[in-house]
Amino acid sequence: VILAEPGCTGRINRVQTIGVFGGTGQQGRGLAARLSAAGQRVVLGSRDAARAVAVAERLGRGVRGADNAQCAREADVVIVAVPWAGHQELLTALRPELVGVIVVNCVNPLGFDDRGAYGLSVPEGSACEQAARLLPDSVVVGAFHHVSAELLLDASQSTVDIDVFVVGDDRAATDQVQALADSIPGMRGIYAGRLRTARHIEGLTANLIAINRRYTTRSGLRLTGGQW
Amino acid sequence: VILAEPGCTGRINRVQTIGVFGGTGQQGRGLAARLSAAGQRVVLGSRDAARAVAVAERLGRGVRGADNAQCAREADVVIVAVPWAGHQELLTALRPELVGVIVVNCVNPLGFDDRGAYGLSVPEGSACEQAARLLPDSVVVGAFHHVSAELLLDASQSTVDIDVFVVGDDRAATDQVQALADSIPGMRGIYAGRLRTARHIEGLTANLIAINRRYTTRSGLRLTGGQW
């Protein structure tokens, strides 16, 4: 047990269990696979517990499945990897279970039409800020927005060579989420600003989708210029 | 003279003269220095022609200075590198001179307070979309938003190792702006979506500023995963 820094809520610095909401979707499964391979304890959450258990069994490495509420109760950190359409409802329902939990949001509020992907207008400014409004007793951090699910699930790729932008207002929490990203080989967690800047990170996914379409690739981002 | 593709306005595919509005500022000077070193013909524009001429003479390599209107008349492509506060007024005034010109916008509508930089709300969605509204007879392309002016002006750095996101709705124009970015050693121009996605690119500059502050660096972006 690591002692919490002053100002931290109780559950933040213990040995971690990572819950993944939307854990049966592509992004969720991909993150669960990489995090469990990196030695993290992972619980997949889904509305359908049986489905979460079945997907978890296929992932192996001790990954477990549960319904979302049970997943939230077991987790120190949850990753929200659900479609934008279900974001508000899910977090509203799980507010009691998420008290004191670090909520890592990687939801991209995007629309699609015949000209491609585009950022949707969100009343709170971003999915992260909506999560923070819905979960006043949790610590919301944005991260993992730009990770290609296909790349995460591609077992032939031993590393995930991207930088993960981590945004949030709580330094202990952003540090912890950076460390989580760092635990995946090739990946680096980079602090990239306050939660109010999450909107740009989320929206940039529309640009990466355009890049992937034009160049037929699975693009990721790396920062140049620094000692990270 | 290269024949224009169908649908192109007349001035687009000739041998290029690059005008730089805000050419006496850091970003403008930096881009002018790198583009002229890459063999482009460059004219600095400023409200104050004498100042533009003086700065151009210090840059050397045949760079010339002029007032903004004259700069616009000479240019096939202009780069708008002015502060956001002067964006609307400048483009409104120069609409006649910019008919048929490719207008490359690298303006970032940002605010700053004690918590750092953040994206400002723009009625049109982005500086690029505002430019497109103000200049219906020009072709607006977004590019060069994330290039560190300090790095551009650092003569000890022979290459600028970043990818430049190029956004726009006119394929011939985005191709041409990509080629402009490609002409600077180390730099690559990458098509990154329609003009409506410029808001994310512009806002991301706030995140890069946060990164630069946290890590004491001059960060740039590179894409991974593709054959570019």
Side-chain angles (χ1 to χ4, degrees):
Chain A
V1 176
I2 301 162
L3 290 175
E5 291 174 44
C8 280
T9 50
R11 293 165 72 183
I12 287 181
N13 278 333
R14 296 184 316 182
V15 174
Q16 297 183 107
T17 296
I18 316 293
V20 183
F21 296 153
T24 60
Q26 275 228 318
Q27 188 80 1
R29 274 191 295 132
L31 286 169
R34 296 286 173 170
L35 289 168
S36 60
Q40 311 282 358
R41 275 205 304 263
V42 177
V43 182
L44 298 187
S46 171
R47 277 176 299 192
D48 178 350
R51 182 156 153 65
V53 169
V55 171
E57 281 175 4
R58 282 204 298 280
L59 283 176
R61 292 199 195 85
V63 176
R64 288 172 297 126
D67 65 35
N68 285 320
Q70 180 61 25
C71 172
R73 280 190 290 271
E74 294 190 25
D76 306 293
V77 175
V78 298
I79 297 175
V80 183
V82 299
W84 168 240
H87 183 258
Q88 179 157 346
E89 190 189 348
L90 177 78
L91 296 187
T92 302
L94 294 178
R95 176 174 168 176
E97 287 83 359
L98 292 172
V99 170
V101 175
I102 295 180
V103 176
V104 183
N105 203 297
C106 59
V107 174
N108 296 308
L110 298 181
F112 296 86
D113 63 18
D114 58 354
R115 295 185 298 148
Y118 60 97
L120 294 173
S121 177
V122 179
E124 294 86 353
S126 61
C128 279
E129 288 159 287
Q130 181 180 94
R133 180 176 66 75
L134 296 171
L135 303 171
D137 302 313
S138 308
V139 180
V140 175
V141 173
F144 301 112
H145 295 91
H146 304 146
V147 188
S148 155
E150 277 181 58
L151 174 57
L152 291 172
L153 289 167
D154 183 345
S156 75
Q157 301 293 312
S158 60
T159 65
V160 180
D161 293 327
I162 69 160
D163 288 341
V164 169
F165 291 120
V166 178
V167 293
D169 295 333
D170 179 306
R171 176 69 184 257
T174 56
D175 282 353
Q176 189 163 342
V177 176
Q178 285 181 249
L180 196 61
D182 290 343
S183 74
I184 296 175
M187 202 180 271
R188 296 187 301 196
I190 305 283
Y191 173 78
R194 300 277 185 158
L195 208 64
R196 65 179 175 175
T197 66
R199 60 193 74 182
H200 319 309
I201 306 280
E202 295 173 6
L204 191 71
T205 307
N207 301 97
L208 295 175
I209 289 169
I211 291 168
N212 289 347
R213 183 178 295 192
R214 171 66 64 93
Y215 300 96
T216 317
T217 187
R218 302 185 296 207
S219 58
L221 292 170
R222 274 285 193 212
L223 287 156
T224 61
Q227 294 79 39
W228 318 101
Chain B
V1 175
I2 301 164
L3 290 175
E5 290 175 42
C8 279
T9 50
R11 292 167 71 183
I12 286 181
N13 278 331
R14 295 185 316 181
V15 175
Q16 297 182 108
T17 296
I18 316 292
V20 182
F21 296 154
T24 60
Q26 275 229 318
Q27 188 80 1
R29 274 191 296 130
L31 286 169
R34 296 286 173 170
L35 288 168
S36 60
Q40 311 282 358
R41 276 204 307 263
V42 178
V43 182
L44 298 187
S46 171
R47 275 176 300 193
D48 179 349
R51 183 157 151 65
V53 169
V55 171
E57 281 176 2
R58 282 204 298 281
L59 284 176
R61 292 201 195 85
V63 175
R64 289 172 297 126
D67 65 33
N68 284 321
Q70 181 61 26
C71 172
R73 279 190 289 271
E74 294 190 25
D76 306 293
V77 175
V78 298
I79 297 175
V80 183
V82 299
W84 168 240
H87 182 258
Q88 179 158 346
E89 190 189 349
L90 177 78
L91 296 188
T92 302
L94 294 178
R95 175 174 168 176
E97 287 83 0
L98 291 173
V99 171
V101 175
I102 295 179
V103 175
V104 183
N105 203 297
C106 59
V107 174
N108 295 308
L110 298 181
F112 296 87
D113 63 18
D114 59 354
R115 295 185 298 149
Y118 59 97
L120 293 173
S121 178
V122 178
E124 294 86 352
S126 62
C128 279
E129 288 160 288
Q130 182 179 94
R133 181 177 64 77
L134 296 171
L135 303 170
D137 303 313
S138 308
V139 180
V140 176
V141 172
F144 301 113
H145 295 91
H146 305 147
V147 187
S148 155
E150 278 182 57
L151 173 57
L152 291 172
L153 289 166
D154 183 345
S156 75
Q157 301 294 312
S158 60
T159 64
V160 181
D161 293 327
I162 69 159
D163 288 339
V164 168
F165 291 119
V166 177
V167 292
D169 295 332
D170 179 307
R171 176 70 185 256
T174 57
D175 282 352
Q176 189 163 342
V177 176
Q178 286 180 249
L180 197 63
D182 290 343
S183 75
I184 297 175
M187 201 179 274
R188 295 187 300 196
I190 304 283
Y191 172 78
R194 300 276 184 157
L195 208 66
R196 65 178 176 177
T197 65
R199 60 194 72 184
H200 319 308
I201 306 279
E202 295 174 4
L204 191 73
T205 307
N207 301 96
L208 295 174
I209 289 169
I211 290 168
N212 289 347
R213 183 178 293 191
R214 170 68 63 92
Y215 300 95
T216 317
T217 187
R218 303 185 294 208
S219 59
L221 291 170
R222 273 285 193 213
L223 287 157
T224 61
Q227 293 79 40
W228 319 101

